[in-house]
Amino acid sequence: MIADRVRAIWCRELQRDDISDDDDFFALGGQSVVMVRIQGALIEELGAEVPMDQLFLNPTVASVSAHIESLSAVSK
């Protein structure tokens, strides 16, 4: 499931193990440097190129996962 993989990336990059699907990236202490690392991990580990503006617009695991799933649907 994409959300599980996105959550694992967030947990690793934010150095937390208690992130839920609806936790806000910024409320968790996320900042631009961490966001860039997450963006790179999404490309490397999921093959999903998520532009920085979409990461700002989708600040939860659930919303980023939905965005990635929509990219997959478009490419099929």
Side-chain angles (χ1 to χ4, degrees):
M1 179 176 230
I2 290 177
D4 293 334
R5 295 175 72 191
V6 171
R7 186 180 315 99
I9 291 168
W10 279 36
C11 286
R12 182 182 68 233
E13 297 302 333
L14 289 164
Q15 299 179 351
R16 298 179 65 126
D17 59 0
D18 59 345
I19 297 174
S20 73
D21 285 355
D22 296 321
D23 286 338
D24 184 275
F25 173 80
F26 302 104
L28 293 169
Q31 49 189 273
S32 60
V33 173
V34 176
M35 188 175 281
V36 168
R37 290 196 316 251
I38 288 172
Q39 183 184 40
L42 292 172
I43 293 168
E44 186 175 313
E45 297 174 34
L46 301 179
E49 293 190 35
V50 181
M52 194 62 66
D53 66 329
Q54 287 301 313
L55 291 174
F56 276 100
L57 291 171
N58 296 289
T60 66
V61 168
S63 61
V64 169
S65 300
H67 177 75
I68 292 169
E69 288 173 355
S70 74
L71 295 175
S72 297
V74 170
S75 65
K76 289 184 180 179

